[in-house]
Amino acid sequence: MMKDSLLFSGSSNIPLARRVADKLHVALGRVDLTRFADGEIRPWIQDDVRGKNTYVLQSLSNPMDEHIMELVLMGDAIRRSAPKSLIAVIPYMGYARQDKQHRTGEPISARVIAKFIEISKFNEVITVDLHNEAIVGFFQIPVIHISALEVLARSVQSLSLKHPVIVSPDVGGVKRARNLAYRLDIQMVVMEKKRYLDRHDESEHYQIIGDIKGKDAVIIDDIISSGGTIAHGSSSLVRAGASSVTVVASHAVFSGLVKDNLTGAPVTNVIVTDTIAVPKEKYFDRLRVVSTASVLADAILKTVRQ
Ligand code: R5P
């Protein structure tokens, strides 16, 4: 089925691209990714893409400005050689948290990124767990928005927690938490979080809505960035009587002091997916990474044109 198809990888998450290629039984396409002396990115596609279904897998993770340039330039290079189709596989959509104007004078960056991706005439985009589903509407091309929920749900089940309860760390994440709670047929608790617009990556938890005493809390979030949400959230849950705290999240953005924040927090397990490659130095004992390769491969198979 993947005959006449080629999957290329940008530099952001080659391990995941390899895993997806393995699932599809294809070799990764050949691309020479170099830079000119002045720093400009110079991708050179080395396979013949004419008449083929082509895919570029690139997570818009840190440094996202470089990764998005790679993606659109690789897309342009492929488009100019007349493929049958060209699809952007973006396991993690950077800038998705900038989906609205919080203050006058700010951009709606997620929309700009969507328009930028369209410049290279991708036919479709495949992405995982957008921070806000409405971002699909920023694109004019079709977006296949897939979920890592099933992968995360299975990893929670494998822990065999005695009295599990799903926790949304903020009001914005209630739908995500409800979906997991529904999937696992367990109760849900919601935390109220405040963010400071003038202090990046800082948050504080206020109240816990629901019954947490004696429960094994499972916080689900889309992103772990600084780990501040998890550090504050897990401490509040333990103070409120939770017996244990597990954290599951789709995207391991893992910025700044994340390792200190997570290892210093009262959490027993941290489970993330591989939509972003976690560098060795950010690994710690309680961290487990589960793969989205199968769900991405399934989504890719749906787009193959005969
Ligand atoms: C916020 O709305 C997101 O869903 C995450 O809770 C947030 O991005 C996590 O960031 P941090 O780890 O820096 O607290």
Side-chain angles (χ1 to χ4, degrees), residues 37-57:
D38 62 359
E40 289 179 5
I41 297 166
R42 187 197 204 189
W44 180 22
I45 302 293
Q46 302 193 324
D47 284 304
D48 180 11
V49 299
R50 179 170 293 274
K52 301 206 168 127
N53 291 294
T54 57
Y55 301 85
V56 182
L57 188 146

Side-chain angles (χ1 to χ4, degrees), residues 76-126:
D76 188 70
I78 294 170
R79 175 56 77 198
R80 287 172 189 284
S81 297
K84 189 188 282 176
S85 67
L86 171 62
I87 293 175
V89 183
I90 309 177
Y92 169 65
M93 185 75 73
Y95 281 103
R97 286 180 290 176
Q98 297 186 49
D99 57 346
K100 54 177 87 68
Q101 254 190 329
H102 294 281
R103 298 174 292 195
T104 308
E106 290 183 341
I108 302 180
S109 309
R111 184 176 179 282
V112 176
I113 294 298
K115 296 292 133 203
F116 193 42
I117 291 167
E118 285 174 356
I119 288 175
S120 292
K121 297 202 168 65
F122 285 100
N123 297 101
E124 294 184 55
V125 168
I126 296 172

Side-chain angles (χ1 to χ4, degrees), residues 164-181 186-194 204-213 215 217-221 229 232-234 236-237 240:
V165 72
I166 302 301
V167 178
S168 174
D170 49 39
V171 177
V174 168
K175 194 171 167 199
R176 191 177 303 119
R178 191 188 343 110
N179 288 344
L180 182 62
I186 48 187
Q187 294 294 306
M188 180 182 78
V189 161
V190 178
M191 302 187 82
E192 200 195 354
K193 179 174 90 175
K194 173 156 178 62
E204 203 177 281
H205 278 98
Y206 285 150
Q207 51 166 327
I208 299 168
I209 307 158
D211 183 14
I212 198 68
K213 217 170 172 18
K215 302 282 177 129
V218 179
I219 303 179
I220 179 166
D221 211 342
T229 299
H232 294 134
S234 56
S236 304
L237 289 167

Side-chain angles (χ1 to χ4, degrees), residues 97 131 169-170 176 193 195 201 203 221-230 255:
R97 286 180 290 176
H131 176 64
D170 49 39
R176 191 177 303 119
K193 179 174 90 175
R195 260 200 190 284
D201 299 319
S203 60
D221 211 342
D222 57 333
I223 289 169
I224 300 177
S225 180
S226 68
T229 299
I230 298 307
S255 53

Side-chain angles (χ1 to χ4, degrees), residues 15 27 42 58-59 64 70 74 142 189 193 196 198-199 217 223 225 233 237 245 247-248 256 266 279 304-305:
R42 187 197 204 189
Q58 178 80 316
S59 279
M64 45 272 272
E70 254 181 41
M74 285 174 71
V189 161
K193 179 174 90 175
Y196 302 100
D198 51 346
R199 284 185 259 154
I223 289 169
S225 180
L237 289 167
V245 181
V247 180
V248 297
V304 173
R305 297 186 188 177

